Every structure is written in structure tokens, then in C-alpha cells.
Amino acid sequence: MLTRFTAGELGDQVTLTDLLSPLNSARDHVGDLLLHVRENLEQQALEQGRTAEAVWKEAIEGSDDDAAGS
């Protein structure tokens, strides 16, 4: 696909920018969500006097159980 783009078969630089812009926004949003989850788990660990790693592992295992049950 990049070869076709560089050959001018798929449009110009604006076309590529228009295509990648929503993808970049989605990537940024997912990154923000992950940071939010991490901050929440770290806060939970602090409140419970546990390590963040233990709370994170528990959350992941619970997530796996939820997925298996659906």
C-alpha cells in the first residue's frame, strides 16, 4: 500500500493525513484510558496498603474470569 501511495495512486499527503488522524486520535485515547486505569489501581493499592502490582494482577485475573463467563 505504501508503494502505491508513494507512486501517487492513492492520493496525496492530505489523503494520508486524513486517514491517519482518526487512528492517531484513537491511539491517544487508548493511552489515556490505560493511564487512568493505572492511576485508579495505584490509588486503590495505596488505600488498601497493598502493592500496585498485586492489585493490577488481581484486576487482570478478574478481567479474564469475566471474559470467560461471557
Side-chain angles (χ1 to χ4, degrees):
M1 182 166 157
L2 288 177
T3 303
R4 291 180 61 203
F5 175 77
T6 56
E9 297 175 23
L10 300 177
D12 57 9
Q13 185 69 30
V14 172
T15 303
L16 182 60
T17 300
D18 289 346
L19 174 68
L20 293 178
S21 182
L23 296 174
N24 287 333
S25 294
R27 181 201 62 220
D28 292 343
H29 185 67
V30 168
D32 290 343
L33 286 172
L34 288 172
L35 288 174
H36 177 74
V37 168
R38 184 181 78 184
E39 289 170 357
N40 284 344
L41 290 174
E42 288 173 348
Q43 182 63 36
Q44 180 182 349
L46 183 63
E47 290 170 358
Q48 295 176 358
R50 300 169 61 198
T51 66
E53 182 179 348
V55 174
W56 183 261
K57 184 176 179 180
E58 185 178 282
I60 290 172
E61 289 171 354
S63 174
D64 289 344
D65 293 343
D66 292 343
S70 9

